[in-house]
Amino acid sequence: MLVTSLRFACLALVLSMPATVRAQSVERGQYLFQVSGGCSCHTDVKNQGALMAGGRALATPFGTFYSPNVTPDRDTGLGTWAQDDFVRAMRDGEAPDGRHLFPAFPFASFTGMTDPDLADLWAYLRTIPAIAAPNRDHELDAPFGWRFLLPLWTSLYLEQGPLIDDPERSASWNRGRYLVEALAHCGECHTPRDLLGGMDRDRWLAGTADGPEGGSVPNITPDPETGIGAWSDDAIRRVLRSGMLPDGDFVGGAMAEAGESFRHLTDADLDAIVTYLRGVPAIVNQVTTTKPAASSSAWE
Ligand code: HEC
């Protein structure tokens, strides 16, 4: 009797395992999705677009990009993609048909993500409702509209991942670097770009007057005058968790949108980001602010 029920118990365990493993992968993927900034470029919030159905206009100095549909719809989204196709897009900036993707899609950061994280993020994206919404062509100024230049761009700027932990540094610093450089791609907005639109890594996180959608992005290096060197750890944690700045105002623009997602950061991940930000080289760069309209409230 005992043996039989044990056997049933084992069988039940084995049968239920793939589903459990999948569920855990989706759950982890949802956290990665949130911390990555909610892939918010792919939702046209302004026009009440469906989650991840694309069509959002992204104004850049090179023209206007329209984000593609990344829901599991077979005809207009990523429904026919395999996990490997997704990994290739995120790590190499290449679509399954060999097309090179424009770096407005921050693959130069996502390339640093680990294989297990990419697998979990993919598992989560597969659970989003499929929406039929055809993609819209980008409206780019030559020569940036010339897709054939993209392999050159990639060869100049892509440092292919995944990021490898630095054994000389603490686990928290390594986690923080992973979040800032890869997953949450803070550098894509906070680092100035050069003429070809690549991140200027010598001025990592030093801010720019010429950020996404023409807005300015502050210097978040530890320089006490022009960066956030004078901020307390709590102040940095607070702006990421709730959007509240030390002067009681709230961040607006692109940061408010990314922050909708950063509020999900676990305490350990917040601490890791603070640890990492404290350790990047301090760069003196006074950014002229074109302050975006502050959101009226905290994210929570
Ligand atoms: C989509 C672009 C974008 C991303 C991604 C982004 N930021 Fe920001 N961030 C901004 C903008 C724009 C502001 C300025 C908002 C304002 O002034 O209201 C800002 C403001 C901040 C501030 C306040 C600094 C100050 O001096 O006021 C901090 C700190 C910050 N970001 C840290 C981060 C970190 C850490 C990450 C990654 C976890 C990150 N940001 C990701 C665009 C972004």
Side-chain angles (χ1 to χ4, degrees), residues 201-223:
R201 289 183 192 264
D202 292 337
R203 304 176 71 211
W204 183 240
L205 303 180
T208 169
D210 215 2
E213 317 220 25
S216 68
V217 188
N219 179 347
I220 56 168
T221 73
D223 181 59

Side-chain angles (χ1 to χ4, degrees), residues 9-26:
C10 287
L11 185 67
L13 195 68
V14 169
L15 285 180
S16 67
M17 215 150 73
T20 317
V21 170
R22 237 189 345 264
Q24 284 168 350
S25 177
V26 169

Side-chain angles (χ1 to χ4, degrees), residues 184-186 189-190 212 216-218 220 228 231 239-240 245 250-252 254-255 258 262 273 277 291-292:
H185 58 282
C186 319
C189 294
H190 283 278
S216 68
V217 188
I220 56 168
I228 58 171
W231 291 32
V239 76
L240 290 171
L245 292 162
F250 287 93
V251 291
M255 186 66 189
F262 296 155
I273 290 178
L277 288 179
K291 192 151 175 62

Side-chain angles (χ1 to χ4, degrees), residues 49-295:
L51 183 70
M52 297 296 108
R56 177 172 169 183
L58 303 165
T60 75
F62 311 118
T64 303
F65 289 91
Y66 293 94
S67 60
N69 180 346
V70 295
T71 73
D73 184 59
R74 291 187 69 82
D75 297 322
T76 61
L78 307 185
T80 58
W81 283 33
Q83 182 175 308
D84 284 350
D85 296 328
F86 177 67
V87 172
R88 194 164 150 218
M90 298 284 280
R91 191 160 284 154
D92 307 322
E94 279 176 39
D97 59 9
R99 244 179 331 122
H100 284 262
L101 300 168
F102 283 102
F105 165 56
F107 63 89
S109 298
F110 293 146
T111 189
M113 288 178 66
T114 61
D115 286 343
D117 277 4
L118 286 171
D120 291 340
L121 181 56
W122 179 241
Y124 173 71
L125 284 176
R126 303 301 276 175
T127 66
I128 286 175
I131 304 287
N135 289 334
R136 201 170 152 180
D137 288 339
H138 306 313
E139 292 156 11
L140 304 182
D141 310 324
F144 297 102
W146 301 346
R147 214 180 261 277
F148 71 83
L149 285 177
L150 291 175
L152 174 69
W153 193 94
T154 305
S155 68
L156 286 173
Y157 296 107
L158 183 70
E159 287 172 31
Q160 209 196 32
L163 280 178
I164 307 291
D165 279 358
D166 179 350
E168 308 271 295
R169 305 283 200 144
S170 68
S172 182
W173 182 91
N174 276 301
R175 176 69 183 165
R177 179 178 67 146
Y178 183 72
L179 289 162
V180 172
E181 288 189 19
L183 186 57
H185 58 282
C186 319
E188 295 277 346
C189 294
H190 283 278
T191 301
R193 290 178 184 273
D194 61 20
L195 284 176
L196 288 177
M199 282 182 277
D200 179 355
R201 289 183 192 264
D202 292 337
R203 304 176 71 211
W204 183 240
L205 303 180
T208 169
D210 215 2
E213 317 220 25
S216 68
V217 188
N219 179 347
I220 56 168
T221 73
D223 181 59
E225 304 293 330
T226 63
I228 58 171
W231 291 32
S232 67
D233 289 358
D234 269 347
I236 302 176
R237 280 194 284 260
R238 195 175 317 117
V239 76
L240 290 171
R241 207 16 97 59
S242 71
M244 191 162 118
L245 292 162
D247 63 6
D249 205 354
F250 287 93
V251 291
M255 186 66 189
E257 219 175 281
E260 282 294 333
S261 311
F262 296 155
R263 74 191 165 90
H264 297 281
L265 281 162
T266 61
D267 290 344
D269 278 353
L270 267 183
D271 288 345
I273 290 178
V274 172
T275 305
Y276 171 82
L277 288 179
R278 293 284 189 218
V280 301
I283 296 175
V284 180
N285 184 32
Q286 185 65 56
V287 177
T288 333
T289 351
T290 47
K291 192 151 175 62
S295 48

Side-chain angles (χ1 to χ4, degrees), residues 40-53:
S40 60
C41 293
H42 290 276
T43 305
D44 189 6
V45 178
K46 216 190 264 168
N47 300 308
Q48 278 95 42
L51 183 70
M52 297 296 108

